[in-house]
Amino acid sequence: MKKMGNHSSISRKLFLSLAVLLSLSIHSYAQEATATPAAATTAPAAAATPAVAQGGDPVKGKEIFNANCAACHKLDAKATGPALRGVGNKYEKAWFYKWIHNSSDLIKSGDAQAVKIYEEYNKVQMTAFPQLSEADIDNVIAYTMEPIPAAPAAVAGEKVPGTDANASGVSNDIVLGALALVMAILVVMLVLVNNVLRKVAAAKGISVAPKEPTISLWKAFAQNQFLVLVSAIFMLLASAYFVYGYLMQIGVDQDYAPVQPIHYSHRIHAGSNGINCNYCHSSARVSKHSGIPSLNVCMNCHKSIAEVSDTTATPEYSKAFYDNEIAKLYKAVGWDKDNQKYTGKTEPVKWVRIHNLPSFVYFNHSQHVTVAGIECQTCHGPVQTYEIQKQFAPLTMSWCINCHRKTEVKMEGNEYYTKIHEQLSKKYGVEKLTAAQMGGLECGKCHY
């Protein structure tokens, strides 16, 4: 009999290599798993609650500061008033008590320090706080005397949150490498098995039957005229469907969200801070257009808000990013935050328009917002959750018509439609009419 090679030895070597690889993977996983509790034991303890400073409690002082002082003062930057970090080293406590209880009387008395502050800050008198006790003032001073908190240093060997894509600690590269090696071993084994079977067949005189010639699939399809006809009809109908769908989307900019020259977050303003839409878009109540708010509206708040809180930041947008956008606003309006005054040097802001109806379409915001009482979110979506404003609705003719068909006319306090509503409700036999039943589907309502 013909001598054949020892294929079992080759297989043993391949399986041995796979076993070694898996053992190394398990060993590395075990090392990473055991390193986790070690890092946890060596990690520094959480910062303790600040100790009560001499003469005041900084924790209580922070609460009083945020409730009474934060509107005009910041710890590390000028606002309507001076920065207050370390202010306890500048004045005596007795002077603080008089100044905070009634700064106006102290200025009138001719106190040099009081007059200097009054002159330096554009002769804007500080609000009197007679309700604050001396203990409350001591607490506020203790809070302002706290040092600037240092950024937490990274612990050696500790993983930064969010950088490990695999929660189990096993590197994705190791897993993918192991899978690739297993697949390669399987391919090699299949090739070896195929060669062994061919050699066995040849040794025993077994001949492999040749493949019978077959006609290709495409030739068989081309020879069947019925299939060709059906396929052609199907392709024509499918092409017409997709072409029609493409043409119907021309001019439809749903989900269009351009990048604006100054980043404005509706999530922060309308969501977190609960600012009413009509405060900024005030013309929506009385005009055809909602209008772009002027930068003066922004400065009503941001004159005293030069930076955002730490809790405002998101993984995608940092606190530094938001603070830089406020700086862009200041540059556009010419606001000097250090000296708290306008420089007179302004720059235009080229906002990018998002919602743009065709010129032959008439839409009146006041008719929908004031008369109909429609919420802004009906057409613009949940703007209070948008970080970047986008076009929520398709704003197509069919979308508007469907809204008119299902939206009932609000009659509470709406005397304008009282008479026609009574007549049409009897005609249609309903208690409340939809906008469509009130003539909302007439062409002239929306087209000139």
Side-chain angles (χ1 to χ4, degrees):
M1 185 175 64
K2 185 178 179 181
K3 187 176 179 181
M4 300 175 64
N6 189 1
H7 299 285
S8 61
S9 63
I10 299 176
S11 301
R12 282 199 297 269
K13 292 178 181 179
L14 292 175
F15 282 116
L16 180 61
S17 301
L18 179 60
V20 171
L21 177 64
L22 292 177
S23 64
L24 290 176
S25 301
I26 294 173
H27 179 66
S28 63
Y29 170 74
Q31 285 183 336
E32 293 181 4
T34 54
T36 302
T41 56
T42 57
T49 304
V52 177
Q54 184 177 1
D57 183 352
V59 177
K60 295 181 180 179
K62 182 178 181 180
E63 296 177 359
I64 300 172
F65 180 89
N66 291 336
N68 299 277
C69 313
C72 300
H73 293 281
K74 300 182 184 299
L75 291 181
D76 302 300
K78 286 184 177 181
T80 304
L84 298 184
R85 179 81 68 182
V87 72
N89 294 328
K90 298 180 181 179
Y91 309 100
E92 297 179 355
K93 283 190 176 182
W95 185 89
F96 270 121
Y97 299 152
K98 295 178 182 179
W99 174 259
I100 295 175
H101 285 154
N102 196 331
S103 61
S104 178
D105 288 348
L106 197 59
I107 295 171
K108 291 178 181 179
S109 67
D111 183 89
Q113 294 175 328
V115 173
K116 181 181 178 181
I117 296 175
Y118 179 67
E119 295 289 342
E120 182 179 354
Y121 287 89
N122 302 322
K123 297 183 178 182
V124 177
Q125 290 188 357
M126 175 178 164
T127 304
F129 294 96
Q131 73 276 14
L132 296 181
S133 64
E134 293 183 358
D136 292 335
I137 298 175
D138 290 341
N139 293 336
V140 174
I141 295 174
Y143 169 62
T144 61
M145 294 303 295
E146 286 192 319
I148 300 176
V155 180
E158 183 179 2
K159 294 182 179 180
V160 179
T163 59
D164 192 355
N166 195 333
S168 65
V170 180
S171 173
N172 287 336
D173 294 336
I174 295 178
V175 175
L176 293 176
L179 292 176
L181 183 58
V182 170
M183 294 298 296
I185 292 174
L186 290 176
V187 171
V188 172
M189 291 181 66
L190 289 175
V191 173
L192 293 176
V193 170
N194 183 48
N195 291 336
V196 170
L197 292 177
R198 287 183 177 275
K199 290 180 179 180
V200 170
K204 293 185 176 183
I206 301 174
S207 61
V208 181
K211 293 183 179 180
E212 296 181 0
T214 57
I215 187 172
S216 65
L217 179 63
W218 293 109
K219 288 184 178 180
F221 174 79
Q223 292 175 1
N224 192 319
Q225 296 182 356
F226 176 76
L227 287 179
V228 172
L229 178 61
V230 171
S231 299
I233 295 174
F234 174 78
M235 293 298 295
L236 288 174
L237 293 177
S239 300
Y241 173 79
F242 286 109
V243 169
Y244 174 79
Y246 173 78
L247 294 177
M248 290 301 294
Q249 293 303 315
I250 295 178
V252 179
D253 297 322
Q254 190 174 12
D255 292 329
Y256 174 56
V259 176
Q260 300 290 354
I262 298 179
H263 182 86
Y264 180 88
S265 173
H266 280 81
R267 175 186 65 85
I268 297 175
H269 294 81
S272 301
N273 296 325
I275 299 176
N276 189 283
C277 300
N278 290 318
Y279 176 78
C280 300
H281 301 279
S282 57
S283 58
R285 293 173 294 186
V286 295
S287 172
K288 173 184 176 181
H289 302 285
S290 62
I292 300 175
S294 68
L295 298 184
N296 289 334
V297 176
C298 304
M299 290 302 294
N300 287 340
C301 298
H302 281 285
K303 186 177 180 181
S304 301
I305 304 175
E307 59 183 28
V308 300
S309 64
D310 295 331
T311 58
T312 302
T314 64
E316 186 176 2
Y317 299 98
S318 64
K319 179 181 183 300
F321 171 81
Y322 287 121
D323 293 344
N324 183 59
E325 297 305 304
I326 297 177
K328 291 181 182 179
L329 170 64
Y330 287 167
K331 184 179 180 182
V333 299
W335 174 253
D336 185 354
K337 71 173 183 178
D338 295 328
N339 298 316
Q340 292 289 297
K341 64 179 182 180
Y342 288 99
T343 62
K345 298 179 181 179
T346 61
E347 296 180 0
V349 178
K350 299 179 180 179
W351 300 106
V352 180
R353 184 166 185 168
I354 301 176
H355 305 86
N356 190 17
L357 293 177
S359 58
F360 55 81
V361 176
Y362 177 81
F363 179 85
N364 192 310
H365 272 85
S366 63
Q367 184 177 7
H368 289 77
V369 175
T370 303
V371 180
I374 301 297
E375 296 290 337
C376 302
Q377 286 82 353
T378 303
C379 300
H380 296 287
V383 293
Q384 68 277 7
T385 64
Y386 291 164
E387 183 65 38
I388 299 178
Q389 181 60 35
K390 68 176 182 179
Q391 180 175 319
F392 168 75
L395 301 183
T396 59
M397 180 175 175
S398 61
W399 181 81
C400 295
I401 289 177
N402 289 334
C403 183
H404 283 188
R405 284 173 175 168
K406 67 181 182 180
T407 303
E408 294 180 344
V409 178
K410 295 182 179 179
M411 297 304 301
E412 295 78 8
N414 192 351
E415 298 180 358
Y416 183 82
Y417 292 114
T418 301
K419 184 176 181 180
I420 189 173
H421 187 277
E422 291 178 353
Q423 295 176 351
L424 291 178
S425 60
K426 292 179 180 178
K427 175 181 178 181
Y428 293 112
V430 294
E431 295 183 359
K432 285 191 174 183
L433 297 172
T434 63
Q437 292 171 326
M438 293 277 285
L441 299 185
E442 296 179 6
C443 301
K445 295 290 184 180
C446 303
H447 299 287
Y448 297 100

